[in-house]
Structures are given as C-alpha cells and as structure tokens.
Amino acid sequence: RVNETAPRDRGIAMVFQNYALYPHMTVEKNIGYGLKNMKMPADQIKKKVDWAIDILGLQEFRYRKPKNLSGGQRQRVAIARSLCMEPEFLVADEPIASLDVSIQAQIVNLFRHLQEEHGFTFLFIAHDLAMVEYLCDRVGVMYHGKLVELAPSEELYSNPVHPYTKTLLSAIPVP
C-alpha cells in the first residue's frame, strides 16, 4: 500500500491508454511537468527532458502541442514523461489499445528496448495476448476483478491451469 506515501516518493509512474497529456502544453512541457511539480531545478529538468526526447525520437516534435501529433507520437510523449521520473516501477495501462497495428508494434518494441536498456520493471496491462506473450516475463490473468493465475510467460502459455486462462489462450488466432 502506498496511500500514505506522497506520489513523488512512490517510485511509480504511469502510462495511460488515453495519453493524459495537457493540450495547452508543448511536448517538452508535458514531459517536464511532473519534474517541475517536484520542484526539480530547471537545469536538471532540461537535462532529463532532453534525454527522454532523444531516446524516444521526439526531437522534431519538441515544440508541438498534442493536437498536432499522431496517436503513436502522443503515446511516446506519455512514455517519455513517465521515464523522466526514473520510476522503479512503471504501470502501462492499455498503452497500445487505441493505436494502429503498426504503431502498436513500435510502442511494444520501444517498451522492450527501454526495459532491456534501462532495467525498469513494468506492469503491462493489455488484452492482446500475443503482445503480452512477446513482451512479458511473467503473466497474470484477471477474471472478475481477481488474479486467478500468475506464472512465467512460457509456463502460462504452454500449460495454463485456470479454466478462464485456458479459454483465453484458445481464442488466440493461429495463422
């Protein structure tokens, strides 16, 4: 439980399905907003924002507002904003659900690269089981608001135990 811990002290960042960007702020200001709220010195904010813009390939969008970005670009801004916080744990709540298939692949590959490169732990919430299998080391299956199965990815996909998990996995299209 982190209810009693101030948000800035939790070590948790979130990426939402709907991006949750401030429409009146530029990409740069959206990314640095949380750091500014934490009263971080401006030179450190600039350094972190520059780093995030660079690793997420947002250089040419730095001064644009969210309405002038595609869905994939907006999601990369949301990811950059979260990474600037240097979280120990990143919650990605359906971060690819509203994106085109090609953009979904780019975002999933980006998550995988960032996790390998920067070693953070994330909770990737998704309904696309093929993406989950590709991206996750461990998989938890929720049914009626309860965790009914938790296992290493390979084990869960090859030997599901819970009936709901079996039903879910049998619904994955096989080419």
Side-chain angles (χ1 to χ4, degrees), residues 17 62 76 78 86 88 126 145:
Q17 176 180 349
R62 178 180 214 113
R76 290 196 335 245
E86 296 182 23
E88 295 173 42

Side-chain angles (χ1 to χ4, degrees), residues 14-16 31 44 50 55-56 63 87 90 92-93 98 105 110 151:
M14 291 202 59
V15 176
F16 300 96
I31 294 171
Q44 287 182 3
D50 289 347
I55 67 166
L56 285 148
Y63 303 110
L90 179 70
D93 187 8
S98 61
L110 174 65

Side-chain angles (χ1 to χ4, degrees), residues 135-168:
L135 189 59
C136 300
D137 299 327
R138 291 184 346 155
V139 177
V141 177
M142 301 287 292
Y143 181 63
H144 292 302
K146 295 196 182 335
L147 183 65
V148 295
E149 190 160 359
L150 178 65
S153 183
E154 287 181 28
E155 182 182 321
L156 186 125
Y157 280 81
S158 64
N159 189 27
V161 175
H162 194 274
Y164 180 70
T165 306
K166 290 177 182 178
T167 302
L168 276 178

Side-chain angles (χ1 to χ4, degrees), residues 4 7 9 21 43 68 78-79 86 88 93 117 126 140 143-144:
E4 305 303 318
D9 297 329
L21 301 176
D43 61 325
N68 298 317
I79 294 167
E86 296 182 23
E88 295 173 42
D93 187 8
E117 190 82 12
Y143 181 63
H144 292 302

Side-chain angles (χ1 to χ4, degrees), residues 10-82:
R10 293 177 186 168
I12 300 171
M14 291 202 59
V15 176
F16 300 96
Q17 176 180 349
N18 67 351
Y19 323 121
L21 301 176
Y22 296 102
H24 63 287
M25 292 183 186
T26 63
V27 164
E28 178 181 60
K29 291 196 178 184
N30 262 289
I31 294 171
Y33 186 70
L35 301 172
K36 183 178 177 185
N37 279 347
M38 290 174 57
K39 311 253 188 279
M40 184 176 281
D43 61 325
Q44 287 182 3
I45 292 173
K46 181 175 178 358
K47 196 179 286 187
K48 286 181 181 260
V49 168
D50 289 347
W51 169 80
I53 283 175
D54 186 50
I55 67 166
L56 285 148
L58 295 166
Q59 298 89 342
E60 66 185 278
F61 311 112
R62 178 180 214 113
Y63 303 110
R64 291 190 193 175
K65 292 189 176 171
K67 69 180 179 185
N68 298 317
L69 302 172
S70 71
Q73 292 161 349
R74 289 178 192 180
Q75 196 60 286
R76 290 196 335 245
V77 173
I79 294 167
R81 179 185 52 202
S82 295

